[in-house]
Amino acid sequence: MSTPITVVDAFADRPFSGNPAAVCVLNRAADEAWMKLVAREMNLSETAFLYPLDGSHRYGLRWLTPSVEVDLCGHATLAAAHVLWEGGHVPRETSIRFETRSGELSAVFHRGEIELDFPELPVAETQIPEGLASALGAEVVKASTTGMDLLVELEDESTVRAVAPVMAVLERLPYRGVIVTSASTGTAPYDFVSRFFAPQSGVPEDPVTGSAHCALAPYWGDRLGRSAMLGYQASARGGSVRVLRDRGRVKLGGRAITVLRGEIHDGVA
């Protein structure tokens, strides 16, 4: 047997940018051990596994890194919606609902972009962890937590871009990952910039992290007094994420491009 698999660059407007995710569209829920092996084989920050549920255009969705399953992932959800529409599984004018470990999420195709409906992640200021500034090689303006990630504000955009953290220190922090961010000071038309490090999850640096923007949206929205913003994740690949705060939810907007289609042998589809 073989299982189709697609690699998609998410939050990208050209190939080999944004954040790559592998997507498997299955006929039924897969064996967990098999999914872990596939995610490890793909060795991307996330592999998404989809299977249809009862109800129109409803899918179960799970996200795995090469080492762990995660509770929330934006770029692999964007990639999954792209594959379902592009592959003809769902008409492009129809919304898609995903049942996940973070509840129901949805995707629509809107004005040339995929728009995801995700939960907003409130942030609360917290004590700066001992040794964090040294590990980042930068002065920390403020540290906040979402309960899932540590959000760290740095002095300016150039500092965010230059950060080269000591991963062994970040790995010991009790969080899924570390978001570093600042207001945008030189990259129009962006409102803020960020990077995301998750050695705890087997991903030293994630190129573009949709779920991090569920926290960045309220953090910068409160600071800037805006509900609609554009963020830039300043990794080596880079990518932009459009955010819109909406009554406790965040709409995440971006584009996606298919870069590879193949088959996994000994699959389960």
Side-chain angles (χ1 to χ4, degrees):
M1 296 179 65
S2 64
T3 302
I5 190 164
T6 306
V7 176
V8 174
D9 286 344
F11 296 114
D13 55 10
R14 64 186 187 281
F16 315 123
S17 64
N19 199 352
V23 180
C24 287
V25 182
L26 309 170
N27 293 327
R28 60 188 183 278
D31 175 73
E32 188 165 321
W34 179 83
M35 290 193 295
K36 289 179 177 178
L37 289 172
V38 171
R40 189 174 67 185
E41 184 76 9
M42 296 308 299
N43 199 33
L44 298 172
S45 58
E46 302 289 347
T47 298
F49 298 89
L50 290 158
Y51 51 94
L53 300 172
D54 294 336
S56 179
H57 311 309
R58 247 177 101 241
Y59 287 82
L61 174 59
R62 294 174 70 174
W63 312 281
L64 280 81
T65 78
S67 59
V68 299
E69 184 169 4
V70 299
D71 293 333
L72 189 64
C73 179
H75 88 279
T77 306
L78 191 111
H82 172 79
V83 168
L84 290 174
W85 284 319
E86 187 179 65
H89 302 276
V90 177
R92 192 176 291 272
E93 65 274 11
T94 303
S95 65
I96 305 169
R97 291 181 295 158
F98 300 107
E99 295 298 329
T100 76
R101 289 170 66 160
S102 290
E104 183 176 286
L105 311 174
S106 64
V108 297
F109 193 78
H110 180 65
R111 295 182 178 178
E113 289 187 338
I114 298 169
E115 185 177 87
L116 307 177
D117 186 324
F118 267 45
E120 183 172 279
L121 299 178
V123 296
E125 189 169 356
T126 190
Q127 185 175 356
I128 299 171
E130 185 177 353
L132 179 63
S134 177
L136 295 175
E139 181 180 350
V140 175
V141 175
K142 185 166 73 169
S144 304
T145 178
T146 69
M148 180 168 65
D149 296 322
L150 183 69
L151 192 156
V152 180
E153 184 180 346
L154 302 182
E155 185 178 4
D156 54 30
E157 180 175 335
S158 62
T159 305
V160 171
R161 289 177 175 272
V163 161
V166 179
M167 294 296 174
V169 176
L170 301 192
E171 193 170 9
R172 292 194 294 268
L173 296 173
Y175 299 99
R176 177 191 68 159
V178 176
I179 308 163
V180 297
T181 187
S182 77
S184 177
T185 53
T187 309
Y190 300 103
D191 298 291
F192 59 86
V193 297
S194 66
R195 290 171 68 191
F196 185 81
F197 306 99
Q200 306 92 319
S201 303
V203 183
E205 180 170 7
D206 195 39
V208 189
T209 314
S211 60
H213 285 75
C214 295
L216 289 162
Y219 186 83
W220 288 111
D222 290 345
R223 293 277 296 276
L224 301 175
R226 298 181 59 186
S227 59
M229 293 164 288
L230 185 62
Y232 182 74
Q233 193 153 330
S235 65
R237 292 175 64 99
S240 60
V241 182
R242 195 173 304 279
V243 299
L244 173 65
R245 301 178 72 189
D246 183 19
R247 293 169 294 181
R249 307 289 291 181
V250 177
K251 304 292 179 64
L252 304 173
R255 298 184 178 184
I257 299 172
T258 297
V259 293
L260 184 150
R261 294 187 183 92
E263 292 182 341
I264 303 168
H265 294 285
D266 298 320
V268 298

